[in-house]
């Protein structure tokens, strides 16, 4: 089967077909997800919480992400692979170039950064140097202490407009994909309709161009807690493969997420 590329993801958006994504951290799970035809796998800095049991993502290093990216790439033949740029690994433009190059060399096809307008020059520079970039707005976990916890973003009109404006500017800077996390469904819908690039939601309602979940949440085995926006697919399935297949089908047919997994 043909590999999923940025062009593939753009075509899915243009056709109105949903994109299904999961986090992955090793070759075995990556192979399983790939065989079930997942579109995108993200090596997330969420590994700090779900693999190590940390309270947040801040202790994850670029070497951690590079290692797990190599593992995931070895198990993947079709899906598009994105690697997170962890906390402070892109604090300066030059640092971003060095660390993004390390992740691409480890097997990523795109890197993901969290933040808005302050990243414009960094994103432009990465894209000019041949490194595809995914943006991330809304609840950005690396800023958890600024937010005062893991809280929904964009409920107030001024804050919502800032997220919308930032999304437009990120697209102009060159991002080819955008993750929206924990924002009201109406705001996510508006952004998805405004941008030409695909928008992937997590706790952002059903009207984004696709969905992503942390694999441990999707299997109901996270060490800490089950987020409101997630669903335990293993609870109603006989095995992990069936759970992944059902998740993908639910995303593609807009059965997931439901209102109970979204925010107003």
């Amino acid at each position: 089967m043909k590999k999923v590329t940025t062009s593939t993801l753009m075509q899915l958006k243009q056709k109105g077909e949903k994109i299904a994504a999961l986090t992955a951290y090793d070759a075995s799970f990556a192979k399983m997800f790939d065989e079930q035809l997942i579109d995108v796998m993200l090596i997330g800095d969420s590994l700090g919480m779900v693999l190590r049991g940390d309270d947040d993502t801040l202790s994850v290093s670029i070497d951690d992400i590079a290692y797990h990216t190599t593992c995931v790439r070895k198990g993947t033949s079709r899906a598009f692979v994105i690697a997170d740029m962890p906390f402070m690994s892109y604090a300066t433009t030059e640092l971003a170039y060095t660390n993004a190059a390390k992740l691409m060399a480890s097997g990523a096809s795109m890197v993901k950064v969290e933040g808005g307008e302050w990243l414009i020059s960094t994103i432009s520079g990465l894209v000019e140097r041949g490194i595809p970039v995914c943006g991330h707005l809304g609840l950005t976990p690396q800023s958890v202490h600024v937010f005062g916890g893991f809280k929904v973003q964009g409920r107030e009109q001024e804050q919502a407009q800032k997220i919308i404006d930032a999304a437009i500017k990120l697209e102009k800077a060159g991002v080819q994909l955008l993750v929206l996390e924990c924002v009201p469904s109406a705001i996510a819908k508006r952004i998805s309709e405004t941008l030409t690039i695909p928008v992937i939601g997590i706790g952002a309602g059903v009207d984004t161009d696709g969905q992503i979940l942390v694999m441990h949440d999707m299997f109901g085995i996270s060490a800490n807690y089950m987020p409101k926006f997630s669903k335990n697919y293993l609870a109603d399935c006989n095995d992990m493969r069936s759970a992944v297949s059902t998740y993908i089908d639910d995303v593609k047919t807009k059965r997931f997420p439901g209102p109970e997994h979204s925010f107003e």
Side-chain angles (χ1 to χ4, degrees):
M1 289 174 288
K2 292 179 64 175
K3 287 187 177 181
V4 178
T5 66
T6 52
S7 296
T8 309
L9 300 176
M10 184 65 79
Q11 289 168 8
L12 289 175
K13 177 182 175 91
Q14 292 168 349
K15 293 177 183 176
E17 298 179 13
K18 298 294 185 180
I19 297 165
L22 283 169
T23 64
Y25 312 97
D26 65 31
S28 296
F29 277 106
K31 185 174 187 293
M32 181 202 303
F33 299 164
D34 205 50
E35 290 172 346
Q36 299 306 313
L37 304 183
I38 198 78
D39 297 313
V40 175
M41 282 186 269
L42 168 70
I43 298 88
D45 56 8
S46 50
L47 69 87
M49 300 176 75
V50 297
L51 297 187
R52 300 202 300 227
D54 294 341
D55 292 331
D56 53 44
T57 66
L58 305 186
S59 66
V60 176
S61 70
I62 194 70
D63 289 335
D64 293 332
I65 298 290
Y67 169 78
H68 288 280
T69 299
T70 300
C71 295
V72 169
R73 173 54 70 187
K74 288 182 178 180
T76 306
S77 59
R78 174 187 174 274
F80 191 70
V81 176
I82 305 173
D84 255 341
M85 296 278 284
F87 181 61
M88 294 301 287
S89 68
Y90 49 102
T92 66
T93 301
E94 292 302 320
L95 191 60
Y97 295 164
T98 299
N99 286 326
K102 184 169 189 174
L103 296 184
M104 296 295 285
S106 298
S109 296
M110 176 179 276
V111 299
K112 182 170 76 64
V113 294
E114 297 182 9
E117 294 184 38
W118 70 274
L119 280 170
I120 296 301
S121 61
T122 296
I123 291 167
S124 298
L126 287 169
V127 173
E128 286 172 356
R129 288 157 178 78
I131 297 178
V133 181
C134 174
H136 186 154
L137 294 172
L139 171 56
T140 47
Q142 291 173 20
S143 300
V144 61
H145 295 304
V146 175
F147 295 147
F150 294 95
K151 299 178 179 179
V152 178
Q153 302 297 304
R155 280 182 161 152
E156 297 178 359
Q157 185 175 352
E158 182 179 354
Q159 188 184 52
Q161 190 60 52
K162 285 184 178 179
I163 295 172
I164 294 168
D165 292 344
I168 294 169
K169 290 177 180 178
L170 289 182
E171 180 177 35
K172 288 181 178 178
V175 299
Q176 292 176 282
L177 202 66
L178 179 67
V179 171
L180 286 179
E181 181 169 356
C182 290
V183 299
S185 300
I187 302 303
K189 182 176 188 291
R190 181 175 170 186
I191 292 172
S192 301
E193 291 173 346
T194 300
L195 302 188
T196 60
I197 61 171
V199 177
I200 308 299
I202 177 167
V206 74
D207 293 312
T208 52
D209 302 304
Q211 303 292 329
I212 186 167
L213 287 179
V214 173
M215 56 166 279
H216 293 69
D217 294 341
M218 191 270 294
F219 288 135
I221 57 173
S222 291
N224 296 319
Y225 74 102
M226 176 67 72
K228 167 187 165 67
F229 54 73
S230 191
K231 179 179 178 180
N232 179 0
Y233 274 89
L234 193 56
D236 297 320
C237 296
N238 295 325
D239 57 42
M240 288 184 168
R241 287 177 175 80
S242 297
V244 175
S245 178
T246 302
Y247 163 69
I248 294 171
D249 189 57
D250 279 1
V251 170
K252 299 286 186 180
T253 57
K254 298 182 69 172
R255 289 194 297 267
F256 178 82
E260 68 273 25
H261 309 113
S262 307
F263 303 97
E264 300 303 325

